[in-house]
Amino acid sequence: MARPIWTGNLSFGLLNVPVSLMSGTRSNDLSFRMLDSRDRKPIRFERVNADTGEEVPWKEIVKAFEYDKGSYVVIEKSDIASAAPESHESVEIEAFVDQESIDVRFFEKPYVLVPGKKAEKGYVLLRETLRKAKKIGVARVVIRTREYLSAVMPQGDALILMLMRYPQELVDPAEYKIPEGKAGDYRVSAKELEMATQLVDSMAAKWNPGDYHDEFRERLAEIIRKRIKSKGATTQVLEEPEPQEDAATNVVDFVSLLQKSLKDNTRTPAKKTAGRKSAPRKAAKKKTPAKKAAKSGTRTRKAG
């Protein structure tokens, strides 16, 4: 089994359900290295000073923001730590909204929430409540060092956590030249519309994701296999599964917590992003980095 990105809690009202945050995607990328075409030796990239050309050791490298061409402000580790989110290893649901009310453009990347040991009851309670109410939980989640907006929704027997884009990340289609108005305004005749509808109906099918494959990757992988075979070698590009880690929990009286949450109308308030000041905090202790999230598309890996 894959290892969790983190093990923590899914909270709504006064209820806390121990969960593990698991990746909901799998990388099938083909990874390439860059070689010198003359002798087939790997290329090494070095960190050099743009002015002197001298190599710069990691300990001498700092992060900076270029606010004007050639002008920088250095950002210290303490600055990053003070801006880091306060909560870690938690999914904090702030509101429940109608499942049809969120524009699909906001959805970005899926993760799977897996209940910890003895946490199945709270997990199923939230799953079935969301399904019955046709609601989605809008939450904040911290993955590694960044806080994301997310949606918690039932999918079959699972609770899916879908990372969401912030409104500022979306481009308003009105910024582009898009034809407005009715079909008749563009000389689309009733006959054309009828024939196009018939074509759509003739191509109608049930959605079956198994019918679709990354054909480019498959063709490229076949070329690579043939090249390897011609060298008299074999290879297997598959990751070995890793053991799953579970979170332990105690028995919880859900009825009393639900009653208290309803009585107090308790929920985690939405955090304000504008004008909010937070006191500097110590940087969190370094943790074992999680497996890198899956990337899309074929990528080129740099030689170290």
Side-chain angles (χ1 to χ4, degrees):
M1 298 290 291
R3 296 178 66 86
I5 295 169
W6 55 245
T7 297
N9 291 293
L10 167 62
S11 64
F12 60 106
L14 296 178
L15 276 71
N16 288 281
V17 181
V19 293
S20 292
L21 181 69
M22 312 294 292
S23 176
T25 57
R26 179 178 290 112
S27 174
N28 286 319
D29 290 349
L30 294 172
S31 184
F32 296 98
R33 293 194 67 173
M34 299 180 71
L35 306 179
D36 188 325
S37 64
R38 296 165 296 183
D39 58 7
R40 299 294 195 268
K41 298 300 181 183
I43 301 296
R44 183 178 71 230
F45 290 87
E46 298 178 343
R47 304 169 299 278
V48 298
N49 186 301
D51 288 339
T52 66
E54 296 179 357
E55 186 172 0
V56 182
W58 276 113
K59 65 178 182 179
E60 300 297 340
I61 295 178
V62 296
K63 292 184 178 181
F65 179 80
E66 186 174 16
Y67 61 91
D68 202 357
K69 186 68 175 178
S71 298
Y72 309 90
V73 286
V74 174
I75 304 300
E76 305 290 349
K77 290 183 179 180
S78 58
D79 297 322
I80 297 175
S82 66
E86 297 179 6
S87 60
H88 294 273
E89 289 76 49
S90 67
V91 179
E92 300 177 1
I93 297 179
E94 300 181 352
F96 293 97
V97 302
D98 292 339
Q99 60 186 18
E100 302 296 334
S101 64
I102 302 179
D103 189 327
V104 294
R105 295 178 300 155
F106 282 95
F107 297 136
E108 184 172 14
K109 184 178 180 180
Y111 288 81
V112 180
L113 294 170
V114 178
K117 292 179 180 178
K118 301 180 182 178
E120 291 86 356
K121 182 176 180 179
Y123 186 92
V124 173
L125 173 62
L126 177 58
R127 183 190 71 195
E128 295 307 312
T129 302
L130 289 176
R131 179 174 286 126
K132 182 178 179 180
K134 297 182 178 180
K135 299 286 187 180
I136 288 176
V138 178
R140 294 182 185 271
V141 60
V142 176
I143 300 179
R144 297 177 181 89
T145 59
R146 182 181 169 186
E147 184 179 67
Y148 295 87
L149 184 65
S150 64
V152 177
M153 60 186 73
Q155 178 68 45
D157 292 331
L159 282 174
I160 301 299
L161 182 136
M162 183 74 72
L163 291 193
M164 297 175 63
R165 299 178 178 92
Y166 287 101
Q168 299 83 358
E169 298 178 271
L170 294 179
V171 176
D172 187 345
E175 295 184 20
Y176 302 112
K177 189 176 181 181
I178 295 175
E180 300 176 350
K182 301 179 180 179
D185 298 337
Y186 299 90
R187 300 178 184 177
V188 177
S189 67
K191 182 65 174 178
E192 290 171 326
L193 192 58
E194 180 184 355
M195 293 180 65
T197 302
Q198 291 175 355
L199 176 59
V200 170
D201 290 341
S202 69
M203 297 175 65
K206 291 185 177 179
W207 167 242
N208 181 12
D211 292 340
Y212 303 91
H213 304 274
D214 186 346
E215 296 181 3
F216 169 75
R217 182 193 182 279
E218 291 174 352
R219 289 192 293 266
L220 193 55
E222 182 59 27
I223 292 173
I224 293 172
R225 281 192 290 269
K226 288 180 178 179
R227 295 279 170 86
I228 293 173
K229 187 176 180 180
S230 67
K231 289 177 170 287
T234 58
T235 187
Q236 184 180 16
V237 226
L238 294 174
E239 294 183 357
E240 292 296 327
E242 299 178 0
Q244 182 179 2
E245 297 178 3
D246 290 320
T249 182
N250 296 321
V251 177
V252 178
D253 184 352
F254 290 103
V255 173
S256 64
L257 287 175
L258 287 169
Q259 288 175 338
K260 185 169 176 56
S261 293
L262 290 171
K263 181 180 179 181
D264 299 340
N265 193 22
T266 304
R267 74 170 188 176
T268 308
K271 298 178 182 178
K272 297 180 180 179
T273 55
R276 182 180 64 182
K277 296 182 180 180
S278 57
R281 300 186 307 279
K282 294 182 180 179
K285 293 182 179 179
K286 188 175 181 182
K287 298 182 179 179
T288 304
K291 291 185 75 174
K292 192 173 182 182
K295 293 183 179 178
S296 59
T298 301
R299 68 184 187 280
T300 300
R301 186 177 64 192
K302 298 179 181 179

